[in-house]
């Protein structure tokens, strides 16, 4: 839906040099106008001169609260981008955020999640992408002007001359270095060209290898990376804040090459003259120039303003769409990981607040609490698994959100991520101060080290990584039928008596016969009885083990056993690993795991009924599948593994569904 024909009223947060450049763009724009700037020091004498006609507001919150501002240009240092972009969404403001949109792909995803919920526009300010010269370049590639594209070379580098540890371009606390400040330009251009070569808006590389020369702050003075794309294109990208690179884009094809000097300035940088594209074939050079005189930032300002007026939430191509920005950030994430760069602002001791720079909120929300036999604390009705996260700064985003939505049950294991999941949880609960109100699941003794004497040794190491002296729930991660079950019960009972397991324990992937044997042994010997299982349980019955040693509890006889014994089952793969999404279907056989583990007539019948019920309830089949696990007549706790805030919030739709016993039986038919 279009807004009125009036111009979009822009406010600027962070009135520095980039903000002044954007102001220049707005002065030449047709659809937007600068209305106000926000600064922590409104008495600076140069503000009125640098931003003529704009209202000067004290503090960024004042700008977000201003009803006469439609959209916000965020030009604060990198470390404030995600915070203020999210706060802008919460205030109902559209945003254009200076590159990089945030410090990592996970932070960018959190920004987009906030704007998706708000229905507001969010764009990353790579101004060159909206310039007509880029359209011309794409047309040349797609028309085959140099044949098939085979290699791309792109650089953006300058020299500050002297290392200045407190300067934003060097300081680790401000996410300094060239990779985030200017490396995104050559990466985004390489991805754009690789995409144009196959008729798409962009392409993501299948392999990234990066390196860098680091300074005493641990940030990069100069850096380079190789990007390999699926279609065989290889891109060499480089950036620097302490080296004057040639700053030329070179596209090598089977019949020639294209060179574009300073591609990010295009024709709008009046100090460098008109932009140009050189096509070099057969020893001859043809030079193309648009002769465009408009300010380079005016195209970006107009594109963002027009998108807002049209009711869009993201830039159309060739601007940076949300998927494009996320793909670009993933490359930068790998590049700096390969280079060994972790900013001090990302470390647990510093990042003690949420992504939008607030103290962690209360443990209340849509996820209800329940009692679990043998556990003194109340636990959330679902547990969070988070083994996909590789850094504290990325994992903390999801952990914070799960906590603030009412979740306090966390699933870890000795083997997950070679111990990183445990380390991450330890860093998180320590930085947030929530250990005593959290319910922690630990697991150990995974095959091939599935022996009683391993339990104590691994638990000692786990507790050290977890930064705690106990777990609330404990599972042997696998069973070993060659070992008498009593030896395992003895080992876990010893940990209960030592206070290192303070709630129920049992087995993950144990048969009901083995569990009965363990209970009988404990009763005979006066040992603590196992009270919990962690087996697969889902609306779809697992036909073939996902991994060796896996056991499902979804069969009718196992389910009846759980009902009769009232044993708590912590269900992994509780949503059948995508079987209830559009990744699966009778005609979709490309996913070997889905086909092998879930495909049969009974499961497809259940899937059909989940789809039908979801349609009646206004939900998705995956929500019905999770609600089914929650609605069992025995203590049933699903383990969920969302990787993004969007996936987390989507899963929580299941808590709005209260299935009746009749609906549960209907879903199980067949």
């Amino acid at each position: 839906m279009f807004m009125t024909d009036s111009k979009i009223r822009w406010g600027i947060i962070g009135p520095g040099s980039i903000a002044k450049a954007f102001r220049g763009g707005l002065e030449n724009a047709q659809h937007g106008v600068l209305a106000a700037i926000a600064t922590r020091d409104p008495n600076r004498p140069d503000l009125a001169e640098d931003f003529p006609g704009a209202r000067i507001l004290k503090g960024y919150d004042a700008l977000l609260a201003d009803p006469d501002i439609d959209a916000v240009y965020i030009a604060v240092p990198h470390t404030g981008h995600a915070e203020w972009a999210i706060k802008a969404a919460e205030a109902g403001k559209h945003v254009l955020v200076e590159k990089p949109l945030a410090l990592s792909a996970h932070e960018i995803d959190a920004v987009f999640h906030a704007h998706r919920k708000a229905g507001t526009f969010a764009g990353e300010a790579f101004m060159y992408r909206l310039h007509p010269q880029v359209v011309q370049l794409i047309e040349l590639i797609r028309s085959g002007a140099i044949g098939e594209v085979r290699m791309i070379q792109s650089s953006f580098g300058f020299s500050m001359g002297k290392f200045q540890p407190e300067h934003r371009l060097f300081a680790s606390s401000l996410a300094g270095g060239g990779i985030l400040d200017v490396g995104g330009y050559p990466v985004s251009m390489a991805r754009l060209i690789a995409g144009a070569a196959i008729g798409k808006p962009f392409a993501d590389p299948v392999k990234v290898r990066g390196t860098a020369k680091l300074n005493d702050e641990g940030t990069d003075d100069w850096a380079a990376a190789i990007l390999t794309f699926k279609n065989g294109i290889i891109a060499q990208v480089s950036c620097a804040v302490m080296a004057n690179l040639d700053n030329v884009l070179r596209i090598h094809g089977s019949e020639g090459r294209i060179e574009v000097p300073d591609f990010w300035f295009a024709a709008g940088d009046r100090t460098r003259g008109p932009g140009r594209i050189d096509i070099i074939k057969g020893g001859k050079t043809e030079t193309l120039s648009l002769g465009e005189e408009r300010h380079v930032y005016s195209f970006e300002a107009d594109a963002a303003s027009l998108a807002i007026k049209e009711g869009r939430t993201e830039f159309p191509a060739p601007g940076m769409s949300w998927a494009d920005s996320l793909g670009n950030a993933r490359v930068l994430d790998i590049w700096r990981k390969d280079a060994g760069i972790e900013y001090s602002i990302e470390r647990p001791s510093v990042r003690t607040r949420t992504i939008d720079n607030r103290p962690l909120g209360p443990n209340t929300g849509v996820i209800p609490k329940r009692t679990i036999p043998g556990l003194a604390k109340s636990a959330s009705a679902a547990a969070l698994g988070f083994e996909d996260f590789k850094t504290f700064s990325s994992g903390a985003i999801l952990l914070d959100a799960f906590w603030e939505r009412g979740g306090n049950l966390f699933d870890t294991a000795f083997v997950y991520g070679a111990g990183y999941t445990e380390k991450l949880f330890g860093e998180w609960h320590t930085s947030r101060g929530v250990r005593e109100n959290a319910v922690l699941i630990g697991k150990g003794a995974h095959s091939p080290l599935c022996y009683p004497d391993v339990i104590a040794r691994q638990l000692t190491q786990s507790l050290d990584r977890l930064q705690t002296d106990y777990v609330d729930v404990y599972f042997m991660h696998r069973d070993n039928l060659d070992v008498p079950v009593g030896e395992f019960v003895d080992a876990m009972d010893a940990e209960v008596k030592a206070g290192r397991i303070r709630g129920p324990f049992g087995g993950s992937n144990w048969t009901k016969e083995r569990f009965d044997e363990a209970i009988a042994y404990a009763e005979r010997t006066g040992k603590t009885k196992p009270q919990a299982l962690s087996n697969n349980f889902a609306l779809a019955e697992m036909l073939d083990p996902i991994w060796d040693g896996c056991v499902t509890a979804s069969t009718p006889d196992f389910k009846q056993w759980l009902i009769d014994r009232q044993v708590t089952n912590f269900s992994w793969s509780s949503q059948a690993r995508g079987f209830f999404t559009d990744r699966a279907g009778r005609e979709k056989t490309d996913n070997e795991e889905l086909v092998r583990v879930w495909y049969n007539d009974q499961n497809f019948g259940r899937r059909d009924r989940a789809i039908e019920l979801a349609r009646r309830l206004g939900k998705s089949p995956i929500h019905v599948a999770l609600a089914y696990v929650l609605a069992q007549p025995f203590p049933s706790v699903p383990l969920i593994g969302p990787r993004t805030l969007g996936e987390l919030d989507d899963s929580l739709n299941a808590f709005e569904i209260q299935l009746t016993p009749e609906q549960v039986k209907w879903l199980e038919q067949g």
Side-chain angles (χ1 to χ4, degrees):
M1 181 181 294
F2 280 81
M3 297 176 65
T4 64
D5 291 333
S6 59
K7 293 185 176 182
I8 297 299
R9 300 165 298 179
W10 285 90
I12 294 177
I13 287 177
S17 58
I18 293 294
K20 286 187 281 187
F22 184 69
R23 176 220 67 204
L26 281 173
E27 289 174 351
N28 290 265
Q30 301 175 18
H31 302 288
V33 62
L34 179 60
I37 62 170
T39 174
R40 293 189 173 97
D41 181 14
N43 297 317
R44 277 173 44 186
D46 57 342
L47 287 177
E49 181 180 337
D50 289 342
F51 301 92
R55 291 181 291 117
I56 300 174
L57 304 178
K58 182 177 182 179
Y60 305 157
D61 288 312
L63 185 70
L64 298 185
D66 193 322
D68 295 323
I69 296 297
D70 303 310
V72 180
Y73 181 76
I74 298 175
V76 296
H78 306 334
T79 49
H81 288 184
E83 172 188 352
W84 290 103
I86 292 171
K87 287 179 176 177
E90 293 169 347
K93 306 295 186 187
H94 309 279
V95 296
L96 180 61
V97 187
E98 250 314 308
K99 52 80 210 159
L101 198 146
L103 303 189
S104 69
H106 287 285
E107 288 194 3
I108 291 175
D109 179 77
V111 170
F112 291 154
H113 180 63
H115 283 273
R116 186 180 296 111
K117 290 196 298 184
T120 43
F121 173 88
E124 187 170 19
F126 279 102
M127 74 288 191
Y128 83 90
R129 280 292 196 95
L130 286 310
H131 195 279
Q133 181 175 279
V134 168
V135 175
Q136 186 179 33
L137 187 61
I138 291 172
E139 290 174 351
L140 288 170
I141 297 301
R142 291 182 174 173
S143 69
I146 56 171
E148 293 182 1
V149 175
R150 293 179 174 172
M151 183 171 286
I152 304 164
Q153 295 170 297
S154 183
S155 64
F156 189 166
F158 57 90
S159 178
M160 290 289 288
K162 180 182 178 182
F163 174 60
Q164 304 167 57
E166 296 182 358
H167 193 284
R168 74 164 189 88
L169 288 174
F170 298 99
S172 182
S173 62
L174 295 173
I179 292 176
L180 278 199
D181 196 67
V182 291
Y185 283 101
V187 170
S188 64
M189 177 55 89
R191 293 173 58 258
L192 177 73
I193 298 303
I198 56 174
K200 295 184 177 181
F202 61 86
D204 288 319
V206 294
K207 183 189 299 183
V208 177
R209 292 291 182 269
T211 189
K213 184 270 178 185
L214 307 187
N215 53 45
D216 289 343
E217 276 286 295
T219 61
D220 56 297
D221 285 339
W222 53 87
I226 301 293
L227 282 56
T228 305
F229 295 87
K230 186 176 181 180
N231 54 3
I233 294 173
I234 295 174
Q236 301 170 305
V237 296
S238 54
C239 64
V241 294
M242 288 290 279
N244 290 312
L245 305 183
D246 65 4
N247 297 339
V248 176
L249 166 68
R250 295 182 175 88
I251 308 168
H252 301 269
S254 58
E255 300 174 14
R257 73 179 188 273
I258 291 173
E259 294 187 353
V260 186
D262 297 336
F263 68 83
W264 55 90
F265 285 112
D269 183 40
R270 298 179 182 122
T271 65
R272 297 171 187 248
R276 73 174 197 268
I277 298 174
D278 292 334
I279 305 172
I280 304 164
K281 295 172 66 174
K284 297 181 180 180
T285 300
E286 177 187 2
T287 297
L288 305 178
S289 177
L290 290 175
E292 178 61 63
E293 295 295 330
R294 284 180 62 190
H295 195 291
V296 66
Y297 283 81
S298 67
F299 301 98
E300 172 185 77
D302 262 340
S305 298
L306 189 58
I308 292 167
K309 293 176 72 173
E310 292 176 345
R312 298 176 182 265
T313 57
E314 54 189 308
F315 277 125
M320 297 288 285
S321 66
W322 289 5
D324 200 351
S325 286
L326 284 167
N328 216 58
R330 291 186 187 108
V331 174
L332 301 182
D333 287 348
I334 297 171
W335 189 356
R336 67 182 179 100
K337 179 180 181 292
D338 285 352
I341 300 169
E342 180 187 36
Y343 304 118
S344 61
I345 191 66
E346 297 176 305
R347 294 171 189 157
S349 59
V350 178
R351 184 157 289 194
T352 59
R353 296 162 73 88
T354 62
I355 183 67
D356 52 352
N357 197 25
R358 295 188 178 99
L360 183 65
N363 183 224
T364 57
V366 299
I367 307 176
K369 297 291 194 301
R370 63 169 302 158
T371 58
I372 292 175
L375 184 66
K377 304 175 185 177
S378 293
S380 53
L384 179 69
F386 47 97
E387 60 182 300
D388 289 328
F389 294 93
K390 309 304 180 186
T391 65
F392 175 81
S393 58
S394 61
I397 296 171
L398 190 74
L399 291 167
D400 288 344
F402 182 69
W403 181 268
E404 291 182 341
R405 286 155 177 75
N408 73 332
L409 181 56
F410 301 91
D411 179 53
T412 67
F414 182 84
V415 298
Y416 288 167
Y420 186 72
T421 299
E422 294 180 331
K423 181 176 183 290
L424 173 56
F425 182 78
E427 292 171 336
W428 179 77
H429 82 73
T430 300
S431 69
R432 303 305 193 258
V434 298
R435 175 64 189 97
E436 292 309 307
N437 292 319
V439 179
L440 173 61
I441 301 170
K443 293 191 282 289
H446 194 291
S447 303
L449 299 177
C450 190
Y451 298 99
D453 62 335
V454 171
I455 291 173
R457 296 202 307 270
Q458 288 190 350
L459 185 55
T460 296
Q461 190 173 346
S462 290
L463 293 176
D464 181 63
R465 293 191 293 221
L466 290 161
Q467 299 186 42
T468 185
D469 56 2
Y470 71 98
V471 294
D472 297 283
V473 181
Y474 181 82
F475 294 110
M476 281 183 51
H477 214 153
R478 290 288 191 273
D479 194 6
N480 184 347
L481 298 179
D482 293 332
V483 176
V485 74
E487 295 183 24
F488 288 124
V489 174
D490 289 345
M492 289 186 280
D493 174 74
E495 299 304 327
V496 171
K497 289 181 168 57
R500 302 205 304 174
I501 300 174
R502 297 191 184 176
F505 68 79
S508 175
N509 297 294
W510 276 31
T511 65
K512 60 184 185 297
E513 293 81 10
R514 184 75 159 171
F515 199 86
D516 278 339
E517 187 181 348
I519 292 174
Y521 172 84
E523 289 175 340
R524 287 197 313 270
T525 59
K527 301 294 175 67
T528 309
K529 290 191 295 186
Q531 293 179 275
L533 275 173
S534 184
N535 284 7
N536 165 252
F537 183 84
L539 176 57
E541 184 178 321
M542 189 175 72
L543 309 173
D544 189 54
I546 297 174
W547 304 287
D548 289 341
C550 290
V551 176
T552 182
S554 296
T555 60
D557 60 328
F558 210 133
K559 178 179 175 180
Q560 188 60 51
W561 179 90
L562 288 169
I563 295 171
D564 294 341
R565 302 292 194 282
Q566 286 298 294
V567 170
T568 306
N569 188 62
F570 292 77
S571 311
W572 55 265
S573 291
S574 59
Q575 295 166 294
R577 300 176 68 81
F579 181 72
F580 291 94
T581 70
D582 57 9
R583 289 171 50 208
R586 289 176 174 83
E587 307 303 319
K588 296 181 179 179
T589 58
D590 57 325
N591 187 308
E592 182 276 335
E593 181 186 280
L594 279 175
V595 173
R596 174 176 60 86
V597 178
W598 310 108
Y599 277 32
N600 75 352
D601 290 340
Q602 173 184 282
N603 283 341
F604 275 117
R606 293 182 175 189
R607 185 177 184 272
D608 292 341
R609 286 186 288 279
I611 292 171
E612 180 183 338
L613 181 56
R615 188 180 299 115
R616 295 204 304 262
L617 297 174
K619 300 294 183 183
S620 297
I622 195 72
H623 305 147
V624 172
L626 187 56
Y628 168 84
V629 177
L630 290 164
Q632 293 305 308
F634 59 87
S636 178
V637 182
L639 310 179
I640 60 174
R643 288 162 292 185
T644 66
L645 296 181
E647 290 179 358
L648 172 62
D649 282 352
D650 184 67
S651 293
L652 301 188
N653 278 284
F655 292 106
E656 299 176 5
I657 302 173
Q658 300 294 324
L659 295 179
T660 65
E662 292 73 25
Q663 287 173 320
V664 169
K665 290 180 180 179
W666 177 73
L667 288 168
E668 291 175 336
Q669 287 178 16

